[in-house]
Amino acid sequence: MDTIKFQNGKTLMVAHRGVSGIERENTNAAFVAAGNRSYYGIETDIRRTADGRFAVSHDDNLQRIAGVDMPVETSTLAELQSVILFDKAGRKDRADLRVSVLENYVAICKKYGKQCVLELKSDFTDEEIAGIIAIYKRFDYLEKVTFISFIYSNLTKIRKICPEQSVQYLFSEFKDGTIERVVADKMDVDVHFKALNKEIIGELHEKGIKINCWTVDSKETAEQLAEWGVDYITSNILE
């Protein structure tokens, strides 16, 4: 199995949770699969654990990806990593498929020269945000990360420490005041692709806002968005 190629023009591609169309999402295997391909960036999600680590997980529980009822934020990292995750065929016979951590993800992105697109899933404290930034500084890779979040305060906390840091406000539809808010705070956007059209893309670009869109797995849809001029497309399988 391989990725689906399409004509992306100047639009940059981001691998959603790694190449999650091929490997179990948000695992080191999915990140390496993206690293070995032409993607500009690799997206992932982090949550805090009970012992203060930053675990890589989209869901707040391992039920869907491992068949085990284990909440991420009230479990320790050791407890989370004791569980083998399902592979793409639904089997649990690969010992390498386990919950990863932020440090693994950054190391893999750096090895392959990929942009980190890091979704902050928990409502992180100021101290936790500082800890996340410290990890990137330790890897000397802070200039290669874009922070994204549905939780606006996560992004403002990033900006308090790093005023020029690349951030994207994540949302599914435009609401009154959304554009004005991101313009005022000089943030870019990461929006569900169905909320976009040529006119909105043009308006955002006129205001200096870069546009990422999620999650696009249709070749035809991706080619239309690229033609309209979106800056980034996030996909599980397109390359």
Side-chain angles (χ1 to χ4, degrees):
M1 185 177 182
D2 201 357
T3 54
I4 299 170
K5 310 302 189 293
F6 81 105
Q7 296 300 314
N8 60 311
K10 295 181 180 180
T11 299
L12 299 173
M13 293 301 298
V14 177
H16 186 234
R17 308 177 196 172
V19 188
S20 54
I22 295 175
E23 291 281 11
R24 166 53 56 191
E25 66 183 66
N26 280 337
T27 58
N28 292 343
F31 303 148
V32 171
N36 280 308
R37 290 174 169 83
S38 65
Y39 293 97
Y40 161 77
I42 303 173
E43 186 266 355
T44 197
D45 315 90
I46 59 167
R47 295 180 179 274
R48 69 169 73 87
T49 67
D51 53 343
R53 297 296 298 276
F54 301 115
V56 173
S57 181
H58 174 272
D59 296 4
D60 60 5
N61 192 300
L62 299 189
Q63 184 68 55
R64 178 179 62 86
I65 60 173
V68 176
D69 182 11
M70 184 178 290
V72 175
E73 297 196 13
T74 57
S75 302
T76 66
L77 180 63
E79 289 169 337
L80 294 166
Q81 291 187 327
S82 71
V83 177
I84 296 177
L85 308 181
F86 294 128
D87 65 13
K88 293 297 290 184
R91 296 188 295 265
K92 298 185 70 171
D93 53 6
R94 281 180 55 181
D96 63 313
L97 297 183
R98 298 177 190 266
V99 171
S100 189
V101 290
L102 177 58
E103 292 88 342
N104 291 165
Y105 164 71
V106 180
I108 293 169
C109 287
K110 183 172 183 177
K111 176 178 179 178
Y112 293 98
K114 303 299 185 182
Q115 182 81 7
C116 295
V117 181
L118 184 67
E119 182 176 349
L120 305 171
K121 297 296 288 188
S122 301
D123 188 356
F124 290 109
T125 65
D126 290 335
E127 292 75 17
E128 288 166 338
I129 292 291
I132 292 165
I133 290 172
I135 289 171
Y136 273 97
K137 287 183 175 179
R138 189 163 77 241
F139 279 89
D140 191 26
Y141 214 60
L142 187 59
E143 76 284 356
K144 291 278 285 181
V145 56
T146 296
F147 293 98
I148 66 175
S149 188
F150 285 98
I151 302 171
Y152 203 83
S153 60
N154 278 335
L155 304 179
T156 58
K157 289 170 186 174
I158 292 285
R159 282 287 181 77
K160 284 180 183 178
I161 302 173
C162 303
E164 303 301 319
Q165 190 67 43
S166 173
V167 297
Q168 297 173 355
Y169 180 40
L170 191 57
F171 57 95
S172 58
E173 60 183 11
F174 288 90
K175 297 181 180 179
D176 290 345
T178 298
I179 294 178
E180 291 76 12
R181 189 181 193 188
V182 295
V183 169
D185 290 332
K186 298 181 180 179
M187 294 186 183
D188 295 319
V189 298
D190 191 348
V191 58
H192 191 267
F193 74 93
K194 289 185 178 180
L196 293 170
N197 56 44
K198 186 176 182 179
E199 290 69 32
I200 289 176
I201 291 167
E203 179 184 355
L204 291 169
H205 281 160
E206 285 178 6
K207 296 179 184 298
I209 299 171
K210 292 182 179 179
I211 306 158
N212 190 357
C213 57
W214 53 275
T215 301
V216 185
D217 290 338
S218 160
K219 177 179 177 180
E220 293 74 20
T221 300
E223 288 177 345
Q224 178 68 84
L225 288 160
E227 182 181 328
W228 286 343
V230 295
D231 301 281
Y232 313 96
I233 291 175
T234 301
S235 179
N236 295 307
I237 196 66
L238 299 180
E239 182 183 359

